[in-house]
Amino acid sequence: MTGAKRKKKNVLWSKMHTPHWEDFKQWCRKRLPILEWAPHYNLKENLLPDTVSGIMLAVQQVTQGLAFAILSSVHPVFGLYGSLFPAIIYAMFGMGHHVATGTFALTSLISANAVERLVPLSVQNLTTQSNTSVLGLSDFEMQRIGVAAAVSFLGGVIQVAMFVLQLGSATFLLTEPVISAMTTGAATHVVTSQVKYLLGMKIPYISGPLTFFYIYVYVFENIRSVRLEALLLSLLSIMVLVLVKELNEQFKRKIKVVLPVDLVLIIASSFACYCTSMEKTYGLEVVGHIPKGIPPPRAPPMHVLSAVITEAFGVALVGYVASLALAQGSAKKFKYSVDDNQELLAHGLSNVIPSFFFCIPSAAAMGRTAVLYSTRAKTQVACLISCIFVLLVIYAIGPLLYWLPMCVLASIIVVGLKGMLIQFRDLKKYWNVDKIDWGIWVSTYVFTICFAANVGLLFGVVCTIAIVIARFPRAKTLSIKNIKEMEFKVKTEVDGETLKQVKIVSINNPLVFLNVKKFHTDLINIIQKENASNLLLDDISKCEQNTLLSPLSNGNCSEEASQPCQNEKCSLILDCSGLTFFDYSGVSMLVEVYMDCKNQSVDVSLAHCTASLIKAMKYHGNLDSEKPIFFESVSAAISNIHSNKNLSKLSDHSEV
């Protein structure tokens, strides 16, 4: 009797404690994604492309680190630290496989405002000229990096607080036109900040509203002070970079390894500057002394936190928005999921922890993501490999960069912003899809260049919400059509067997950025609910989460589940009679639903579409031109499905 009680007690004890340990392991995998993908890393298939990508990425990290540190008004060596520590932290906590965290132009511009305000150049003459024990740098340089590190620390704390409050779900307010306009405007600011190096001019630091215009007014007023040697070297560097990068892009399928033109240009220009003494002969500005090694960690100065709150919020919001856009784009391209809240934690820790190692604010950059795309990187191992080479630069190669001309470095930065600057081409797309989104893009861009990236972002969000509230009534986004009613309407044309393979969904609401995610969720729920009751599409829901529309999963499911309805082709009809208006996000979601269903061998038809919706969808996506997908009515769509089925049966019979 005692043994039975003891056995029962042990069973109860195991039931009480085993789930807790399993929950803890699951929580660790969720918050440390590296524990999820690292054990399954395929050395044979992934190591070589990740190594090549890591080497190319290291070149980008070093050049951008040096340039963005100067942009942030701190010593260039701190940019190298900012290219190392954030990348390591994000590789452990981040979910973007093709996101490389490091120094970022927009966050550098924002932190420069705090540095120049709290430690202006005029203070340099008042501080002691003796070098500190940290890398032999002056007190002035250490005060400046202290302010930049404080901005990074507080910005990271804000991001972590947003993670705790689960504010990542609020990112649906950030529409693609707003993000595109903000990043394009910020890239314009970065190009403007590099003008003084491209022209070899001495331009005083200018801040505040309309800074963009004041800088160019100063340039034109002092046009005679342009150094011709710097201008010619800048033009030559830009021409070489653009030409070689275009050739790399054009022949990337024929060549296994792209030419690292950035690295070649850095070595060639540094060697030429050293041999010809351009610094003294022509007065070209060079990077200067880069000390070796990494100093011991030190806490950011906490007494300045209250003075950098504005910049910290700007770093937290702008850095996160730009990084999340890249992570989501990467996830969509390579079919895996990204948790918005987990990205907040990853970027928050990538700012908080590195701030103790003299790092400026960090975020993901489009140029680095483009490098990972072009070099066919597979995982975050590429970023970790790049950190090894950055360490090599910090401990060995750094001092050799002394003779790197600033005009060449500025040219590399400007060409690296090409991906952001060519977003001007999106204006034509927005004009054809939704002219209101076109207006939001233009106004957000204007506010960004007139004020700052965070101001432009805030204006774009507020403007978008205000416009949608004025147009958008609250209602359910979807409803399932009454199958018996549809059967009655088409009973003379369609047999019951065909009808059982058709799912008809009615959209009863405008489709805009506020409800596109709910639209996607409702559509999946309806499909799953109908599948569970065995009314429609019996074999669609074999995956853990319905793979019909590729919902947020890692994209890995069995071969059987990834090919639904193998015996009978399934069809989905979207009745758009209630879709009174839409924006760019709504059109993007409809095209995404169509493409995902097409990949899963599910035919999609749209009924009762307006002419503007048909035009927008055809312009936005590569829709199937071989067979019609737009119909005047649901009955016409069902009749088309029925006729296609009969043709398919006739074809199969003739083959037999």
Side-chain angles (χ1 to χ4, degrees), residues 375-395:
T375 54
R376 303 176 183 91
K378 301 297 183 181
T379 65
Q380 277 290 335
V381 171
C383 296
L384 295 176
I385 292 175
S386 74
C387 292
I388 297 175
F389 288 94
V390 173
L391 269 176
L392 182 64
V393 172
I394 291 174
Y395 279 97

Side-chain angles (χ1 to χ4, degrees), residues 348-637:
L349 295 178
S350 297
N351 276 310
V352 171
I353 298 175
S355 67
F356 289 83
F357 294 89
F358 306 95
C359 292
I360 60 178
S362 65
M366 183 179 291
R368 296 193 291 267
T369 298
V371 168
L372 294 175
Y373 284 170
S374 62
T375 54
R376 303 176 183 91
K378 301 297 183 181
T379 65
Q380 277 290 335
V381 171
C383 296
L384 295 176
I385 292 175
S386 74
C387 292
I388 297 175
F389 288 94
V390 173
L391 269 176
L392 182 64
V393 172
I394 291 174
Y395 279 97
I397 305 175
L400 300 179
L401 297 174
Y402 179 98
W403 293 277
L404 175 61
M406 287 300 302
C407 58
V408 174
L409 189 59
S411 301
I412 295 174
I413 297 305
V414 170
V415 174
L417 292 170
K418 175 190 171 185
M420 289 186 181
L421 294 173
I422 62 175
Q423 290 180 131
F424 279 109
R425 297 187 301 188
D426 292 344
L427 284 172
K428 181 180 179 181
K429 176 175 63 177
Y430 296 130
W431 179 266
N432 284 280
V433 174
D434 184 23
K435 292 179 175 58
I436 291 180
D437 279 341
W438 181 89
I440 291 174
W441 196 103
V442 172
S443 58
T444 302
Y445 176 79
V446 170
F447 264 75
T448 301
I449 64 170
C450 288
F451 299 99
N454 50 348
V455 177
L457 179 66
L458 180 62
F459 170 82
V461 171
V462 172
C463 184
T464 305
I465 294 174
I467 290 174
V468 170
I469 287 176
R471 302 167 66 191
F472 185 74
R474 294 187 176 183
K476 289 176 63 178
T477 59
L478 300 174
S479 65
I480 193 77
K481 279 284 185 181
N482 190 314
I483 301 300
K484 293 182 179 179
E485 177 186 351
M486 296 307 307
E487 185 177 7
F488 175 77
K489 289 184 179 179
V490 295
K491 64 181 180 179
T492 59
E493 304 177 22
V494 183
D495 59 0
E497 184 182 355
T498 301
L499 200 60
K500 289 182 180 180
Q501 303 163 32
V502 179
K503 188 177 296 296
I504 308 167
V505 178
S506 178
I507 306 175
N508 297 325
N509 217 35
L511 198 57
V512 294
F513 75 97
L514 285 174
N515 67 340
V516 288
K517 286 188 176 181
K518 187 174 187 298
F519 167 82
H520 190 269
T521 303
D522 288 352
L523 189 56
I524 292 175
N525 290 339
I526 286 176
I527 293 172
Q528 290 176 335
K529 182 178 179 180
E530 293 297 314
N531 290 341
S533 59
N534 294 322
L535 290 177
L536 300 170
L537 300 181
D538 295 337
D539 298 323
I540 292 295
S541 57
K542 289 184 179 179
C543 280
E544 184 178 349
Q545 292 188 21
N546 193 315
T547 60
L548 174 65
L549 296 173
S550 295
L552 295 181
S553 66
N554 60 7
N556 297 324
C557 57
S558 65
E559 183 178 355
E560 182 183 8
S562 64
Q563 298 177 356
C565 298
Q566 295 174 357
N567 297 328
E568 298 290 346
K569 190 139 186 175
C570 306
S571 300
L572 173 68
I573 299 177
L574 296 178
D575 180 8
C576 301
S577 57
L579 206 163
T580 54
F581 71 87
F582 53 87
D583 65 0
Y584 181 81
S585 299
V587 174
S588 299
M589 181 56 69
L590 285 176
V591 173
E592 181 180 343
V593 166
Y594 171 81
M595 298 304 296
D596 287 340
C597 289
K598 182 180 177 182
N599 293 335
Q600 298 296 329
S601 300
V602 177
D603 288 335
V604 178
S605 303
L606 289 91
H608 298 114
C609 297
T610 60
S612 59
L613 178 60
I614 296 174
K615 177 184 175 183
M617 289 189 65
K618 286 183 177 179
Y619 184 85
H620 183 279
N622 297 321
L623 303 181
D624 196 343
S625 58
E626 297 181 357
K627 53 185 178 181
I629 63 171
F630 300 102
F631 298 92
E632 294 182 356
S633 64
V634 175
S635 301

